[in-house]
Amino acid sequence: MEVSARVGAAASLRDQVALVAGGAGVVGAGAVRSFLKLGATVIVPSRSQQKLDDLIATVPESDRPRLLTLVASAGSPEGVEKIVKFLDDNELKVNHVVSSLGTLWFKGQTIGQPVSEWDKMLGDGARSHFVFTTQILPKIADTKNATFTYVTGRLGEGMRMPNVGLMCIDYTCIYGLIMVAQEEMKEKPIRINEFRLGLYVTREKQELADECGMVLAGLATTKGLAVKEKLVRIAKEEDLATWHQKLH
């Protein structure tokens, strides 16, 4: 069954605004298309104009007027300042945020790696999430029915394959950031979720990326706000189907 056939009226996000950091990436792009499908206006920052152009090319023409892009790094203080200025200049009030930042690493054993590898891996991952969170989360924390969803991976739970040690460390750091954010914001109306993905999704698998995206967007809907779980574990494609039934 196609994704669009499973989307009900309760899932509408019309008149709402979503900010997707990492929206030009594979899973992030799936989230962008899914938020647009549900009627939201979507803002996507990226360091690369080419990646933004590539993203736009995958979006149906009818949805493109609601896709707003800007060249800015969501993982740097200067970039986040630029994003905030963009929001303010365009009088955009964000309702939902997806933080899909980071990179992959398959460079051998962790012990013996140069410090530069550590700095790059955690800089692109945990540090980027931290920079983005500390500037953006407070701006929407008092918004009723707002959501902030982190996209992470299951490698933080343990080394499930060789030569990925720095990714394991990075994801573990991000888990810690999410735990702290949830605790510090527990008295606020915002809902903080984690989408923990154990599938390897490539650009050649756009349909799978969109399946992930519909879960991410679904967490922002009325049904998504009502589910008890704030940790979405996706270990196999069947898990996506289970979450679609809950959210759409």
Side-chain angles (χ1 to χ4, degrees):
M1 183 183 295
E2 294 182 358
V3 170
S4 58
R6 294 199 294 266
V7 178
S12 175
L13 294 173
R14 190 172 292 112
D15 299 325
Q16 298 191 45
V17 177
L19 170 61
V20 183
V26 179
V27 175
V32 170
R33 290 187 291 268
S34 298
F35 272 103
L36 290 169
K37 185 186 292 289
L38 297 185
T41 294
V42 184
I43 304 155
V44 181
S46 174
R47 290 175 289 189
S48 167
Q49 182 61 56
Q50 182 59 57
K51 288 186 177 180
L52 291 172
D53 292 342
D54 293 344
L55 168 67
I56 293 169
T58 70
V59 172
E61 288 191 16
S62 59
D63 288 338
R64 291 180 189 177
R66 288 180 286 106
L67 174 59
L68 309 177
T69 64
L70 71 155
V71 177
S73 171
S76 73
E78 300 79 12
V80 177
E81 286 181 10
K82 188 173 180 180
I83 294 168
V84 171
K85 185 176 187 301
F86 180 86
L87 297 175
D88 292 342
D89 289 349
N90 291 278
E91 298 182 346
L92 293 164
K93 183 175 177 60
V94 174
N95 306 95
H96 308 289
V97 175
V98 174
S99 186
S100 181
L101 302 170
T103 189
L104 301 178
W105 192 91
F106 305 97
K107 296 186 178 181
Q109 287 191 332
T110 301
I111 306 306
Q113 292 290 334
V115 174
S116 59
E117 288 294 329
W118 172 280
D119 290 343
K120 178 170 176 27
M121 184 65 216
L122 273 75
D124 287 344
R127 182 182 185 275
S128 293
H129 279 285
F130 173 76
V131 169
F132 184 69
T133 297
T134 55
Q135 295 300 313
I136 299 299
L137 180 54
K139 288 184 67 68
I140 69 166
D142 292 311
T143 302
K144 185 179 179 181
N145 294 332
T147 65
F148 195 113
T149 302
Y150 295 85
V151 178
T152 70
R154 294 184 67 221
L155 285 175
E157 298 173 359
M159 285 192 63
R160 300 175 182 275
M161 61 184 78
N163 302 324
V164 295
L166 278 183
M167 272 201 290
C168 295
I169 295 169
D170 183 53
Y171 284 135
T172 302
C173 290
I174 299 169
Y175 295 172
L177 172 62
I178 296 168
M179 178 184 67
V180 169
Q182 289 173 331
E183 177 63 24
E184 292 185 350
M185 295 289 147
K186 65 183 180 182
E187 302 301 328
K188 300 287 187 177
I190 191 168
R191 179 186 174 99
I192 299 176
N193 303 302
E194 179 188 350
F195 181 81
R196 189 175 295 181
L197 183 62
L199 301 176
Y200 186 44
V201 186
T202 64
R203 292 192 183 278
E204 292 71 34
K205 298 179 179 179
Q206 182 173 317
E207 183 177 346
L208 182 57
D210 286 350
E211 291 285 333
C212 292
M214 284 306 295
V215 175
L216 286 163
L219 291 169
T221 66
T222 301
K223 285 188 175 181
L225 292 167
V227 299
K228 182 178 180 180
E229 305 100 312
K230 295 183 180 180
L231 171 58
V232 178
R233 276 195 177 93
I234 305 297
K236 52 189 184 298
E237 292 189 34
E238 289 79 5
D239 295 334
L240 289 170
T242 298
W243 274 94
H244 279 301
Q245 291 177 353
K246 289 184 180 182
L247 300 173
H248 299 290

